[in-house]
């Protein structure tokens, strides 16, 4: 699956934009306060520590290093609505492979489904990408090799 950290932008917060800012008095505006913006990748990162659970048991922990957005997120660019607004433009994630034990597989067969939970451990955000967004043209997949 493709996952990334997710920064909470000012435009996504309620009442984040103050329309009465006086630029002549040195008021500064966050680059992410414009509803039509998605800041591109730079030196400042926004990592998220995550844990992944399969059928209620912790399967792995990892750190998603950033909330990147640039030309590598070509699927996100191409999937933009044609309404002259940017939504997550150029954003993409990291290809994460979760180990699946034989015990978890057997449990899933008995229940008829696999329960997947992705949890942030440090309060950071998480973005989950599908086949039409991000960098990799994949949905969440389960691969079983015999």
């Amino acid at each position: 699956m493709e996952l990334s950290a997710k920064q909470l932008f000012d435009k996504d917060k309620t009442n984040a934009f103050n329309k009465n800012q006086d630029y002549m008095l040195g008021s500064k505006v966050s680059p992410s306060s414009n509803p039509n913006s998605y800041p591109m990748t730079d030196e400042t990162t926004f990592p998220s520590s995550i844990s992944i659970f399969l059928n209620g048991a912790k399967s792995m922990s990892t750190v998603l290093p950033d909330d990147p957005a640039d030309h590598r997120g070509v699927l996100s660019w191409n999937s933009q609505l044609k309404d002259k607004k940017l939504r997550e433009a150029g954003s993409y994630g990291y290809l994460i492979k979760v180990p699946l034990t034989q015990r978890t597989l057997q449990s899933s067969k008995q229940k008829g489904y696999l329960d997947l939970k992705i949890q942030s451990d440090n309060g950071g955000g998480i973005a989950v990408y599908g086949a039409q967004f991000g960098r990799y043209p994949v949905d969440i997949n389960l691969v079983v090799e015999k």
Side-chain angles (χ1 to χ4, degrees):
M1 66 184 129
E2 183 176 356
L3 304 174
S4 78
K6 183 69 177 109
Q7 178 186 0
L8 181 60
F9 293 120
D10 288 334
K11 69 179 183 171
D12 299 326
K13 299 175 187 174
T14 56
N15 301 324
F17 186 68
N18 181 358
K19 294 180 182 178
N20 297 319
Q21 293 177 321
D22 191 337
Y23 302 102
M24 298 304 288
L25 294 176
S27 177
K28 294 184 180 180
V29 177
S30 165
S32 71
S33 64
N34 184 324
N36 199 31
S37 70
Y38 197 89
M40 295 288 112
T41 303
D42 62 12
E43 291 125 14
T44 305
T45 60
F46 296 90
S48 289
S49 298
I50 64 165
S51 293
I52 299 176
F53 298 82
L54 298 176
N55 292 342
K58 188 174 187 175
S59 182
M60 71 177 286
S61 292
T62 190
V63 174
L64 301 170
D66 197 12
D67 176 18
D70 55 43
H71 66 282
R72 289 171 281 191
V74 66
L75 297 172
S76 294
W77 279 109
N78 289 338
S79 295
Q80 293 291 305
L81 295 175
K82 307 297 186 234
D83 64 354
K84 298 183 181 182
K85 292 185 181 179
L86 296 177
R87 293 175 183 83
E88 314 292 320
S91 66
Y92 63 95
Y94 307 92
L95 202 55
I96 304 294
K97 296 181 180 183
V98 182
L100 179 66
T101 65
Q102 191 67 30
R103 184 177 183 182
T104 302
L105 184 59
Q106 291 301 324
S107 169
S108 295
K109 282 183 181 179
Q110 288 175 346
K111 292 192 303 186
Y113 63 90
L114 174 69
D115 183 36
L116 168 68
K117 177 182 176 184
I118 306 166
Q119 170 183 298
S120 174
D121 296 329
N122 66 344
I126 304 169
V128 180
Y129 297 85
Q132 303 209 359
F133 292 89
R135 181 177 183 179
Y136 304 98
V138 297
D139 286 319
I140 295 177
N141 287 297
L142 174 63
V143 178
V144 179
E145 295 179 0
K146 290 187 175 187

